[in-house]
Amino acid sequence: MSTAASVPARPGETNERERNGESDTLTQETAFEILSCRRRRHVVHYLLQRGEPTSLHELSKQLAAWENEISPEAVTYEQRMRVYTALRQAHLPKMDDAAIVRFDANGGTIRLTDDATKLEVYLDIVPHDGLPWSSYYLGLCGVAVGVLTAALLELFPFNLLPGIAWGFVVVALFSASAVAHKRHDERHHLGQEGKPPI
């Protein structure tokens, strides 16, 4: 795979970008567009897992396995070709244009660019698994304020414990939430072992 590691950018691409005053810096709009498609997220996940360039054949086989929830060995020719065609004709050229991957269509090899590592920043913003953490913490703050206010006013049943005890309860809630948030982020990190998190 060492020869694939030096897959060049398409001929004239760098000069064309320089002439147009474009930079290779990943924009927020581009990141959202790339991450909005599950199959493209799976491409990034697989390439991060491997840590080296891969062939279109291997990439399409693994994505077909994930999409059909089967092992790569059980993927049929038709399942792989559906993914292969979509990757070759649409997704990989789009990701190459966005400088997320370098796709050598002639050689059939794909590698990540440095910009691909910047995509992780946007994953919390792209909705993919329900309630955003920002909304969760806002709700938790509301609950904390309500509990502490009720304890301060000595309303039943909050008067059964001293105010300081309710303060510890609030701290414990935030601590447990922070631990859960941390574990959630680790499980939903692109490039971790196993199937894609999103």
Side-chain angles (χ1 to χ4, degrees), residues 35-75:
L35 292 172
S36 67
C37 174
R38 184 175 69 166
R39 189 169 277 170
R40 291 194 290 267
R41 293 195 300 268
H42 289 186
V43 168
V44 174
H45 180 72
Y46 181 68
L47 292 172
L48 283 171
Q49 275 186 341
R50 285 185 58 91
E52 60 183 7
T54 190
S55 69
L56 181 53
H57 175 86
E58 286 300 317
L59 177 63
S60 57
K61 186 176 180 180
Q62 183 59 70
L63 265 62
W66 284 333
E67 291 176 11
N68 291 283
E69 298 185 350
I70 56 177
S71 70
E73 295 74 26
V75 171

Side-chain angles (χ1 to χ4, degrees), residues 15-192:
N15 292 337
E16 183 182 338
R17 284 185 174 171
E18 287 174 357
R19 282 197 304 271
N20 292 336
E22 296 174 0
S23 104
D24 286 339
T25 303
L26 181 66
T27 66
Q28 187 179 46
E29 183 179 353
T30 300
F32 285 166
E33 187 171 354
I34 294 300
L35 292 172
S36 67
C37 174
R38 184 175 69 166
R39 189 169 277 170
R40 291 194 290 267
R41 293 195 300 268
H42 289 186
V43 168
V44 174
H45 180 72
Y46 181 68
L47 292 172
L48 283 171
Q49 275 186 341
R50 285 185 58 91
E52 60 183 7
T54 190
S55 69
L56 181 53
H57 175 86
E58 286 300 317
L59 177 63
S60 57
K61 186 176 180 180
Q62 183 59 70
L63 265 62
W66 284 333
E67 291 176 11
N68 291 283
E69 298 185 350
I70 56 177
S71 70
E73 295 74 26
V75 171
T76 66
Y77 175 79
E78 290 77 16
Q79 289 170 330
R80 185 180 67 78
M81 284 309 295
R82 275 197 297 272
V83 176
Y84 181 99
T85 303
L87 289 175
R88 184 177 180 84
Q89 293 181 355
H91 298 299
L92 292 174
K94 187 180 193 75
M95 295 175 79
D96 188 281
D97 288 342
I100 300 301
V101 301
R102 281 291 165 247
F103 173 45
D104 178 3
N106 295 327
T109 55
I110 307 103
R111 68 171 175 85
L112 286 177
T113 66
D114 291 339
D115 273 351
T117 60
K118 301 173 188 172
L119 289 172
E120 196 73 31
V121 174
Y122 298 99
L123 284 176
D124 271 346
I125 303 171
V126 178
H128 53 78
D129 63 350
L131 184 70
W133 282 104
S134 56
S135 299
Y136 171 82
Y137 283 113
L138 187 61
L140 188 58
C141 283
V143 169
V145 168
V147 166
L148 293 177
T149 301
L152 183 66
L153 297 175
E154 298 184 351
L155 300 176
F156 182 82
F158 298 97
N159 60 349
L160 299 178
L161 289 175
I164 190 70
W166 288 111
F168 282 116
V169 168
V170 168
V171 169
L173 281 174
F174 274 96
S175 298
S177 297
V179 170
H181 191 171
K182 173 84 172 150
R183 294 186 64 189
H184 173 276
D185 283 351
E186 288 172 353
R187 286 195 310 270
H188 288 79
H189 183 74
L190 284 179
Q192 294 280 35

